[in-house]
Amino acid sequence: MSAPGTVDELDLLVSECRVCPRLVEWRERVAREKRASYAEQHYWGRPVPGFGPSDARLLILGLAPAAHGANRTGRMFTGDRSGDFLYAAMHAEGLANQPTAVHAGDGLQLLGARITSPVHCAPPANKPTPAERDNCRQWLVSELGLLASTVRAVVVLGGFGWQALLPVLADGGWTVPKPRPVFGHGAHVELAPSQPDGYPLHLFGSYHVSQQNTFTGRLTQPMLRQVLRHAADLAGLSPSR
Ligand code: SF4
């Protein structure tokens, strides 16, 4: 397969991927069986591509689509409590035009930011295997390559995304320090470009917006907003964006 030449092309290719047998079976079974409260809805049931402009300066990296969230609606972090939390914070920081994400046609637009994940299919128990993560790595490599001329900061939601991203950054034109930076909420490291025509990249860590974290108060709106604000500022996104 030839590498996608545009972000739109990438998104289309991602949405047709069937490389991981376990995840294909699971995402399609969930889409057939559905949750009772969504019984009347048509589930997406396919890989969920990244969401946001193709010239984003800020990239937000999650883990994987939720079975009855993005696997239902077809758009990252849309239709579940994690998305409610994330988009409220993004809207408050001027990174989204509205604070809610209900379905793919609800008018939500991201402003200077794009959201993606290291695994594009909903996994059982929200736990992709290392092999599935490695299968999906090709898409993250392509996405970072296509964004490389504009992206200046990445906010990683959770340790899984952090571990998945570092080798991709090392291969994609940035110098990752050794020993590797450790994930934590509020972690921040500036990566120098490894090519003369590259740009530095600010890497930030945040606890994931899962209900496990947000319902227990481990991650609060002020905590997430502070990380997003810092990343947006260093990415050169003005407050009026
Ligand atoms: S997880 Fe990634 S590599 Fe695996 S089937 Fe889904 S899109 Fe393809």
Side-chain angles (χ1 to χ4, degrees):
M1 184 191 71
S2 59
T6 66
V7 170
D8 284 348
E9 203 179 316
L10 168 70
D11 291 347
L12 184 63
L13 288 170
V14 167
S15 71
E16 294 172 341
C17 183
R18 302 182 67 83
V19 168
C20 305
R22 185 184 79 120
L23 297 188
V24 171
E25 194 280 330
W26 173 254
R27 76 192 192 204
E28 293 180 353
R29 177 147 56 98
V30 169
R32 278 194 309 275
E33 295 178 355
K34 306 182 181 182
R35 178 178 282 168
S37 51
Y38 302 129
E40 302 305 315
Q41 296 189 21
H42 173 75
Y43 272 55
W44 174 252
R46 293 164 55 185
V48 180
F51 170 52
S54 58
D55 60 351
R57 296 185 69 83
L58 172 62
L59 186 66
I60 297 172
L61 187 76
L63 194 171
H68 300 280
N71 188 55
R72 172 173 57 92
T73 63
R75 194 176 67 189
M76 285 282 168
F77 283 106
T78 298
D80 61 27
R81 302 298 284 271
S82 300
D84 293 346
F85 193 91
L86 175 62
Y87 288 120
M90 291 184 70
H91 178 253
E93 295 302 327
L95 296 166
N97 70 332
Q98 61 187 47
T100 55
V102 183
H103 56 80
D106 60 10
L108 176 67
Q109 292 178 2
L110 303 189
L111 309 173
R114 181 174 166 88
I115 301 178
T116 195
S117 59
V119 173
H120 285 277
C121 292
N126 291 322
K127 286 196 172 70
T129 66
E132 290 160 352
R133 176 203 60 203
D134 292 347
N135 287 343
C136 217
R137 178 185 158 138
Q138 58 169 325
W139 300 126
L140 189 55
V141 170
S142 293
E143 193 158 10
L144 272 162
L146 290 165
L147 293 173
S149 64
T150 59
V151 71
R152 299 291 179 269
V154 183
V155 172
V156 184
L157 303 174
F160 183 94
W162 185 271
Q163 297 304 336
L165 178 64
L166 288 177
V168 175
L169 293 175
D171 290 347
W174 290 277
T175 303
V176 175
K178 289 183 182 164
R180 284 183 176 179
V182 176
F183 172 79
H185 183 85
H188 171 214
V189 56
E190 182 176 358
L191 306 181
S194 55
Q195 306 294 330
D197 56 349
Y199 298 92
L201 187 75
H202 291 275
L203 177 64
F204 289 86
S206 165
Y207 293 142
H208 194 276
V209 291
S210 66
Q211 292 183 37
Q212 258 179 344
N213 289 333
T214 59
F215 279 21
T216 57
R218 187 168 190 242
L219 179 66
T220 63
Q221 280 285 313
M223 288 168 69
L224 178 58
R225 284 182 57 183
Q226 187 174 36
V227 173
L228 290 175
R229 192 180 315 137
H230 194 184
D233 287 347
L234 291 177
L237 291 167
S238 69
S240 60
R241 50 190 169 266

